[in-house]
Amino acid sequence: MTGSEVPPSFRLAYVPGVTPAKWVRIWNERLPDIPLTLLPVPAAEAPDVLRAGGADAGFVRLPIDRTDLSAIPLYTETTVVVVPKDHVVAAVDEVSPEDLADEVVFHPLDETLEWEPRPGKPAYERPTTTEDAVELVAAGVGVLVVPQSLARLHHRKDLTYRPVTGAPESRVALAWAEAETTDLVEDFIGIVRGRTVNSSRGRAQTPAKDQAKASSKAQAKASAQPRKKPAAGKSGGKPQRGGGGGGARPKAAKRGKPRRRS
């Protein structure tokens, strides 16, 4: 490798709430020679990071502007409301947006849910981040509706959360720049989609390995096939009864005592 060559690596962006540990572990097992770097990015900035080449691929929250981007939806999260543990909502299993009509509901500037219309009473001022909104909920000023993973990410001992039925949901997807669909991106797509290491769309093997594998299979197949019996009358065939011809050996005479004539 010359001094101008850069060793291969893979940069994976991810938005708050997404936990890529499982896929990173599989990557490290299959491609230990190619380091994977994790890049946490705000949800609103993730698409631009991918377009600018700041990451090879990334976990984003839909919807996004898919101009120049490819995306594979992975899963949909449950929407929950975050409240203090002594709040009346904590006494029920779930709530609806209508149940929050009399509550001050925070909608931070980095909100990931699209509401029409937004539930509850608007706060005097929108918090800058979800983390700031959680602090206000802990202070007893209002409540917050978020994807469940964000409620877990910003968990506090004095707060709890309950599912919200009939609310918008957040979908998580793997995205990358269409013009930069490299072999490493394809490798990571295969991992996320659950392809095995021997999948036909997995990482390609070297030609030498392919040829050796094909030769080994051919030899095993040949040895497993049963041998054909030669046709009657040909050399090596089963001896025929009766007269000669066709190279058959004459039937040997039986030995023993001669029969007595009557």
Side-chain angles (χ1 to χ4, degrees), residues 98-230:
E98 291 74 22
D99 295 329
L100 304 175
D102 295 331
E103 301 286 344
V104 173
V105 180
F106 295 114
H107 298 279
L109 297 178
D110 64 352
E111 185 175 35
T112 59
L113 299 173
E114 293 190 344
W115 290 92
E116 288 186 10
R118 288 190 171 107
K121 299 177 181 178
Y124 177 74
E125 186 176 356
R126 293 184 66 182
T128 303
T129 66
T130 298
E131 186 175 6
D132 294 336
V134 170
E135 294 292 333
L136 294 173
V137 173
V141 181
V143 301
L144 174 66
V145 181
V146 291
Q148 184 170 302
S149 66
L150 291 181
R152 291 174 175 172
L153 176 65
H154 300 293
H155 172 71
R156 291 174 52 116
K157 291 183 179 180
D158 53 348
L159 300 179
T160 187
Y161 57 85
R162 294 292 183 269
V164 181
T165 61
E169 296 175 320
S170 176
R171 291 185 299 157
V172 174
L174 176 67
W176 66 95
E178 285 185 357
E180 300 296 333
T181 309
T182 63
D183 289 342
L184 293 181
V185 171
E186 289 286 359
D187 286 335
F188 195 76
I189 292 172
I191 290 173
V192 171
R193 282 185 161 174
R195 296 178 194 148
T196 64
V197 68
N198 296 322
S199 170
S200 60
R201 296 190 64 183
R203 191 169 180 80
Q205 297 182 355
T206 61
K209 287 184 178 180
D210 288 342
Q211 292 176 3
K213 188 175 182 181
S215 176
S216 177
K217 285 185 176 181
Q219 293 176 3
K221 184 176 180 180
S223 62
Q225 291 180 348
R227 295 182 178 179
K228 293 183 178 180
K229 294 182 179 180

Side-chain angles (χ1 to χ4, degrees), residues 8-28:
S9 62
F10 191 75
R11 299 160 300 165
L12 179 65
Y14 67 101
V15 299
V18 175
T19 306
K22 175 181 68 174
W23 298 300
V24 173
R25 175 180 54 79
I26 298 174
W27 175 279
N28 291 334

